[in-house]
Amino acid sequence: MASTFGKLFSVTTWGESHGKAVGAVLDGCPAGLSLSEEDVQAFLDRRRPGQSQMTTARDEKDQVKILSGVFEGKTTGTPISFAVFNEDQRSHDYSDIEKWYRPGHADLCYDLKYGFRDYRGGGRSSARETIGRVCAGAVAQKLLAQVAGTEFLSWVDSIGHVTCPPVDVASLTREMIEESPVRCPDKEGSAQMEDEVMAAKKAMDSVGGTVRLLIRNVPAALGEPVFDKLDALLAQAMLSIPACKGFEVGSGFAAASMRGSEHNDEIFYDGERFRTRTNNAGGIVGGISNGENILVRLAFKPTATISQSQKTASRNGENGELAAKGRHDPCVAVRAPVIVESMAALVLADLYLEQKRNSL
């Protein structure tokens, strides 16, 4: 089972939803970067459960421990190990699904592939696996901020049939995003999205949503021209996030209805560097960053776990029904932004170190 992402700046996540702990080992971080548990905790606090009625009621503080790779507040260049201990598991909630496959979950596919599965909360397919990604992503963001001033901002763009009005990315701040319970920076849109989530929750159902990502101050020339294109690696990173089912960069699918004269971004020199007057490319051309903002949009499916009774089948081929007992997010998109930022930072940090290695 592949659990490692990245080449030079690589993270291996470990642990299960209802195991003793979850975490990650980050390898390839340069020595001398200031790093503390508080630095990482700030990111974990944004993804932890129990934040509001918009998220699962599972009560986890998600307190991180750095076990290696940091000495006297600085990274040593050796592997950095993170651990977060699980405290509020209710494994008995999942006793029924030892026999039954949950619709929309990975239960059946895990059994088909391995002939065995951890049915307690989904094991490795649970979103708690993303804790390790966020730990490593926090380090990646700090590294990129130090070397290039790179900033990652992600917010909820839509939930169900409610869509946030266009956001002014030039003035957008993390504070504007985080003051919303659904992480939508538009106050009216946020209120409507809250209603959409609560309506789904009341109906013992779930709802999907879209998330946008903005990356500012991106170093130019990141990415390789063929298989390791920056946008291809971002797509792989984002689609590896649980429940993420769609990816587009820049104008995305809208480009299919445009002409080249509309879509091509005019290039000019501003006296210091080359720029583009528009950004239909989303900051990536030919698989390589051009120095403009990277703009990405992602689609997240409705949470697979719902409390309604659903028709399904058992491991022995019996047809029947199952109603989930566990706690779950009525909309996974609400807690996704920090995970999106983390995966994007891991991609850029890896490519940044590769570019530095390959340049004179």
Side-chain angles (χ1 to χ4, degrees):
M1 182 184 293
S3 295
T4 300
F5 183 80
K7 295 179 180 178
L8 300 181
F9 192 94
S10 67
V11 57
T12 300
T13 68
W14 54 266
E16 295 80 35
S17 176
H18 286 237
K20 291 184 179 180
V22 292
V25 177
L26 174 63
D27 202 3
C29 180
L33 180 70
S34 296
L35 185 67
S36 67
E37 290 178 350
E38 289 73 23
D39 292 331
V40 178
Q41 192 63 50
F43 288 85
L44 286 177
D45 287 346
R46 293 170 55 208
R47 79 149 300 282
R48 74 175 183 83
Q51 298 177 43
S52 71
Q53 289 184 306
M54 306 295 127
T55 63
T56 174
R58 180 168 173 170
D59 186 17
E60 297 282 3
K61 300 301 185 289
D62 288 349
Q63 294 292 320
V64 68
K65 296 295 182 184
I66 297 179
L67 306 181
S68 66
V70 177
F71 178 66
E72 295 184 342
K74 302 279 188 179
T75 57
T76 61
T78 59
I80 305 170
S81 183
F82 306 93
V84 172
F85 289 89
N86 294 324
E87 298 176 342
D88 190 32
Q89 311 99 312
R90 291 185 188 174
S91 298
H92 59 272
D93 284 345
Y94 297 90
S95 57
D96 287 347
I97 65 170
E98 179 181 6
K99 172 183 177 182
W100 298 97
Y101 294 125
R102 295 170 295 172
H105 280 272
D107 302 343
L108 173 59
C109 290
Y110 266 54
D111 252 358
L112 292 173
K113 184 172 181 65
Y114 300 108
F116 178 82
R117 65 187 171 91
D118 182 349
Y119 58 84
R120 305 165 303 163
R124 287 290 286 167
S125 66
S126 168
R128 278 196 71 71
E129 178 272 336
T130 62
I131 283 176
R133 305 177 189 221
V134 172
C135 290
V139 181
Q141 290 196 55
K142 187 159 191 181
L143 172 65
L144 291 164
Q146 177 174 300
V147 299
T150 308
E151 181 183 16
F152 298 78
L153 292 174
S154 183
W155 67 99
V156 175
D157 182 56
S158 73
I159 291 178
H161 297 292
V162 179
T163 301
C164 176
V167 171
D168 179 11
V169 296
S171 61
L172 183 65
T173 65
R174 176 155 290 154
E175 290 71 26
M176 294 167 61
I177 298 169
E178 291 298 318
E179 68 181 10
S180 162
V182 293
R183 295 192 165 89
C184 171
D186 180 81
K187 291 184 178 180
E188 183 176 346
S190 175
Q192 293 177 7
M193 289 182 193
E194 291 175 53
D195 291 341
E196 189 85 354
V197 174
M198 295 308 296
K201 185 176 182 179
K202 185 177 180 180
M204 297 190 297
D205 212 334
S206 61
V207 64
T210 59
V211 172
R212 288 192 184 269
L213 168 68
L214 164 68
I215 312 178
R216 295 177 177 141
N217 300 322
V218 180
L222 300 186
E224 301 296 320
V226 185
F227 294 114
D228 284 346
K229 293 182 177 183
L230 173 53
D231 39 358
L233 293 174
L234 284 173
Q236 178 189 358
M238 298 308 160
L239 291 171
S240 76
I241 299 173
C244 185
K245 303 298 286 185
F247 170 91
E248 64 178 15
V249 59
S251 58
F253 283 94
S257 62
M258 299 170 71
R259 295 191 174 186
S261 55
E262 298 174 274
H263 189 267
N264 292 342
D265 297 312
E266 178 187 330
I267 302 171
F268 70 100
Y269 188 71
D270 68 0
E272 296 183 0
R273 67 183 182 93
F274 291 103
R275 302 290 310 275
T276 61
R277 297 196 186 279
T278 54
N279 195 13
N280 288 311
I284 305 170
V285 180
I288 301 170
S289 62
N290 62 8
E292 299 292 338
N293 291 339
I294 290 178
L295 298 167
V296 170
R297 185 169 180 254
L298 311 167
F300 285 85
K301 70 173 185 175
T303 316
T305 305
I306 61 174
S307 299
Q308 294 182 22
S309 181
Q310 301 178 90
K311 292 183 179 181
T312 187
S314 69
R315 297 187 78 191
N316 61 14
E318 177 187 357
N319 293 318
E321 293 189 2
L322 176 70
K325 296 179 181 178
R327 298 156 294 177
H328 61 274
D329 292 276
C331 179
V332 294
V334 173
R335 288 202 288 148
V338 68
I339 306 169
V340 169
E341 293 171 11
S342 297
M343 291 307 298
L346 289 172
V347 171
L348 264 64
D350 197 28
L351 291 176
Y352 175 80
L353 293 179
E354 187 170 2
Q355 180 68 13
K356 295 292 287 184
R357 183 181 69 174
N358 291 337
S359 61
L360 295 177

